[in-house]
Amino acid sequence: MERPGRLLLQSELRVRNAAYDVSLSRSLLIWKRRTSSPVYHPFRPSVCHSVPVSEIISVREEEEENGSRQRDDGSWKKIREREGKDCRQAFTVLYVERCRQHRWRCAEVTFTCSDEAVCQHWVSSIREQLASNTSRPKHLLVYINPYGGKRQGKRIYEQKVAPLFTQAGISTSVIVTEYANHARDHLKMEAELKKFDGVVCVGGDGMFSEIIHGLIWRTQIDCGVDPNSPEEALSPCSLRIGIIPAGSTDCICFASVGTNDPVTSALHIIVGDSQPLDVCSVHHNMMFLRYSVSLLGYGFYGDVLSDSERKRWMGPARYDFSGLKMFLTHHYYEGTVSYLPAKGIIGTPRDATRCRSGCVICQHNGQLNSERSEKYEMDEASDSESSGEWRTIRGKFLAINAASMSCACPRSPKGLSPAAHLADGTTDLILVRKCSRFNFLRHLLRHTSKDDQFDLTFIEVHRVRRFRFMPRHCQSDSDLELDLHENSKRQIFSQICKDHPACGCAPAYSSWNCDGEILTHTGIDVRVHGQLIKLFARGIEELPVFEDLSNPCAI
């Protein structure tokens, strides 16, 4: 619980014609209603409010008195009253107010002062405290995807987000993307990043992927790091990234904020929150493929994405259709998985602990990974050389998933790996071995329930720092490119056959689903780069058992 420090200012002000004792410290703004009677009334709670200074959006002087908005009948008495009042004797504070389901909204309170000098003193003092917060952005580069999700990105930004940025005094440079990877290419080559304090994307997870690919690639080139080398330790990005959700899934927002509300995300940007995030680099041989921050899926989730891409005309319903189709076809794939287990860390994939704001596991493991990286650079030894630590699993798999976060969303409230962390330098490698359709259905239904996701005999999960996969049917082919199953484009349902892959009804290989994009190779090398980027977020906040405990006035 945050306690007020040394008082900077204290006055008796009025809120809606009621007297309040108002105080300002470096950490809190508190206003407490004055009681007319000194006698304690147990059934009459005292009206007291407190707001952290860090969560004040802005303060403004009132341009007109509240009474002038009421109906004016032109009487001489009202004209004299209006002339006798100074409109600059009131000021309004806009601040963050928490609502249900991790949502934030912009609330405001207007204080009336006894004279103009007191009002000016309060306004200047609050603005001085806000200006001293160096974590708040002042200039933002904004990319809007007008086509993502329900094509509401531009409207959401203009109606819900831009007014808040204006009130907070944030200047923006807005670019509406015109084609796929427009934002990525602009960040790579053209954007003058030194002018900005952060980059904001308005769209879904696909738009966010564009931003991180452009920003990470640009950072590595500026720092002289070769992105095509899987052995290179990538340099962290200095600019924070904000996400205004306007897509169909918004998985990153759910994991880092707890909701996909645009106003909530905009307020996290305004107050200057910072949440580190791990990023996985995906390579094929010595060639860079993509970055991943949420899910890498081979088998079931790769097949669902590949099939749904051919049915975009169906809209969001294509995912349900393709999911049902892939469940019925029940394809399994043979291959070899090698992984480097995360040693010396705290936390396991089957913990009851969840990644929340101020996560201790992320802080501890993040520091551990940072120390290992320094030792790695000094010794010039790569993970591939320490072959004794690598472990290998061969078999037939229905799905191979790597979850770098919980991947929670409305359809899967707990996600694919509920105990995965945002910034601990690891990913949870989930192997679903060949099993019956009934057992696989049990596994899928676990994503929507509170049962242990991994308490099934055909599932194993490992917390890893790096892993590699090579499908059986192309282990000797180092340059295999997927054709996205072009030969099955015209089929509505493939023939169901689980025992005869050579007959043609079951493909020899699947494709990798990398954060909603299909990779062009199946043999991949994945490495986790701890806390490579930072978001304008603070993680999911734990809801207090008693709301009053967060209020120092209630004690």
Side-chain angles (χ1 to χ4, degrees):
M1 177 171 50
E2 191 173 14
R3 294 286 184 179
R6 184 176 63 87
L7 291 181
L8 302 176
L9 200 56
Q10 189 171 17
S11 304
E12 179 186 339
L13 307 178
R14 302 189 71 82
V15 178
R16 295 181 179 177
N17 294 323
Y20 279 76
D21 288 322
V22 187
S23 61
L24 175 69
S25 68
R26 296 187 184 279
S27 59
L28 286 174
L29 172 66
I30 302 174
W31 60 101
K32 184 176 182 180
R33 186 170 183 172
R34 284 198 163 191
T35 56
S36 57
S37 172
V39 180
Y40 173 70
H41 295 276
F43 300 105
R44 186 188 301 172
S46 61
V47 180
C48 179
H49 304 272
S50 68
V51 175
V53 172
S54 61
E55 295 181 4
I56 294 177
I57 299 169
S58 65
V59 58
R60 68 169 184 264
E61 296 182 58
E62 286 302 309
E63 297 297 332
E64 60 179 0
E65 56 174 291
N66 292 333
S68 66
R69 297 177 184 175
Q70 299 174 356
R71 184 176 179 181
D72 191 350
D73 58 5
S75 66
W76 176 255
K77 181 180 178 180
K78 289 192 174 183
I79 294 175
R80 291 296 299 271
E81 286 179 354
R82 189 164 64 249
E83 289 176 350
K85 293 182 179 179
D86 191 337
C87 64
R88 289 177 295 178
Q89 291 180 2
F91 65 94
T92 298
V93 175
L94 287 78
Y95 61 93
V96 170
E97 184 176 74
R98 286 165 174 76
C99 306
R100 293 182 177 180
Q101 298 178 337
H102 306 288
R103 290 175 178 251
W104 286 7
R105 77 177 185 91
C106 180
E108 62 179 54
V109 57
T110 300
F111 299 99
T112 304
C113 307
S114 56
D115 57 60
E116 181 181 349
V118 173
C119 180
Q120 294 277 359
H121 192 25
W122 270 96
V123 171
S124 61
S125 296
I126 295 176
R127 285 177 177 170
E128 183 180 341
Q129 294 304 307
L130 296 181
S132 66
N133 188 344
T134 57
S135 65
R136 291 197 170 203
K138 296 178 176 60
H139 310 284
L140 294 173
L141 176 59
V142 181
Y143 294 95
I144 301 176
N145 179 7
Y147 306 108
K150 298 180 180 179
R151 300 175 178 263
Q152 298 294 310
K154 192 174 181 182
R155 182 190 66 82
I156 288 173
Y157 178 78
E158 292 175 349
Q159 296 184 7
K160 297 184 177 182
V161 178
L164 290 174
F165 285 170
T166 301
Q167 289 176 338
I170 298 175
S171 63
T172 58
S173 176
V174 180
I175 297 176
V176 180
T177 58
E178 300 175 357
Y179 51 86
N181 294 320
H182 183 178
R184 182 201 66 183
D185 297 341
H186 185 263
L187 280 170
K188 274 186 176 182
M189 306 297 296
E190 303 175 28
E192 298 182 37
L193 300 181
K194 293 182 179 180
K195 293 183 177 180
F196 303 102
D197 304 313
V199 180
V200 176
C201 64
V202 184
D205 293 336
M207 186 63 175
F208 175 74
S209 181
E210 278 195 42
I211 298 297
I212 66 169
H213 277 80
L215 194 58
I216 295 175
W217 186 277
R218 174 76 171 269
T219 302
Q220 307 321 307
I221 297 302
D222 292 345
C223 295
V225 177
D226 180 13
N228 283 313
S229 172
E231 307 302 332
E232 288 270 13
L234 300 183
S235 298
C237 302
S238 58
L239 291 182
R240 285 170 290 176
I241 303 173
I243 311 171
I244 304 298
S248 54
T249 54
D250 303 318
C251 172
I252 314 299
C253 276
F254 274 103
S256 60
V257 177
T259 182
N260 64 340
D261 175 50
V263 172
T264 301
S265 296
L267 294 176
H268 278 285
I269 295 171
I270 290 171
V271 302
D273 281 339
S274 182
Q275 169 62 51
L277 191 67
D278 296 337
V279 178
C280 293
S281 61
V282 186
H283 289 79
H284 174 74
N285 292 340
M286 293 297 291
M287 180 177 64
F288 168 77
L289 296 181
R290 287 190 71 85
Y291 295 115
S292 170
V293 295
S294 57
L295 174 67
L296 272 164
Y298 183 83
F300 178 75
Y301 289 103
D303 292 347
V304 169
L305 181 63
S306 298
D307 189 76
S308 66
E309 283 298 299
R310 300 192 292 270
K311 299 176 176 61
R312 299 188 71 90
W313 54 270
M314 295 180 65
R318 67 184 185 272
Y319 298 112
D320 296 327
F321 180 85
S322 296
L324 175 61
K325 175 182 174 181
M326 292 302 108
F327 171 76
L328 293 175
T329 54
H330 200 60
H331 288 153
Y332 68 86
Y333 303 93
E334 296 185 61
T336 302
V337 179
S338 303
Y339 65 91
L340 193 63
K343 293 184 177 180
I345 63 171
I346 58 175
T348 69
R350 299 185 67 172
D351 281 344
T353 307
R354 300 293 180 259
C355 189
R356 294 294 183 261
S357 181
C359 179
V360 176
I361 292 178
C362 288
Q363 293 175 7
H364 176 273
N365 295 348
Q367 179 64 29
L368 184 66
N369 289 323
S370 177
E371 295 172 358
R372 282 178 174 171
S373 297
E374 293 176 1
K375 183 180 179 181
Y376 171 87
E377 292 177 358
M378 292 176 62
D379 296 344
E380 296 183 354
S382 68
D383 291 334
S384 59
E385 293 174 355
S386 54
S387 57
E389 297 182 10
W390 284 83
R391 299 177 184 176
T392 301
I393 299 175
R394 296 180 178 86
K396 301 175 181 179
F397 306 98
L398 287 172
I400 300 172
N401 302 320
S404 299
M405 58 178 61
S406 66
C407 301
C409 64
R411 291 192 175 187
S412 178
K414 294 179 65 179
L416 294 182
S417 184
H421 289 266
L422 296 174
D424 68 342
T426 68
T427 187
D428 288 348
L429 181 62
I430 307 166
L431 307 178
V432 184
R433 293 184 179 271
K434 178 187 174 185
C435 62
S436 66
R437 284 192 185 83
F438 175 74
N439 279 333
F440 189 57
L441 179 62
R442 289 173 59 204
H443 164 64
L444 295 178
L445 291 178
R446 291 284 179 97
H447 297 153
T448 63
S449 68
K450 295 183 179 180
D451 296 331
D452 186 351
Q453 304 273 28
F454 312 120
D455 187 22
L456 296 168
T457 57
F458 55 90
I459 294 179
E460 55 184 289
V461 58
H462 308 276
R463 187 152 286 180
V464 306
R465 291 191 289 120
R466 189 170 179 177
F467 76 92
R468 296 167 180 153
F469 174 75
M470 183 62 69
R472 175 188 172 187
H473 291 278
C474 59
Q475 288 181 0
S476 61
D477 186 0
S478 61
D479 197 28
L480 174 66
E481 292 194 10
L482 300 181
D483 59 2
L484 305 183
H485 311 300
E486 291 290 338
N487 56 347
S488 62
K489 273 188 174 182
R490 299 179 183 179
Q491 297 179 7
I492 299 178
F493 282 98
S494 301
Q495 180 182 352
I496 299 174
C497 178
K498 64 180 181 179
D499 295 321
H500 302 87
C503 69
C505 57
Y509 53 84
S510 177
S511 54
W512 280 98
N513 176 346
C514 179
D515 294 355
E517 298 292 333
I518 300 172
L519 297 185
T520 54
H521 295 82
T522 54
I524 61 173
D525 184 349
V526 180
R527 177 178 176 180
V528 184
H529 300 269
Q531 304 186 6
L532 188 64
I533 61 175
K534 291 183 179 179
L535 305 180
F536 283 108
R538 62 175 60 176
I540 300 175
E541 293 182 310
E542 290 282 9
L543 297 177
V545 179
F546 301 103
E547 283 191 18
D548 288 343
L549 291 181
S550 64
N551 190 341
C553 303
I555 299 179

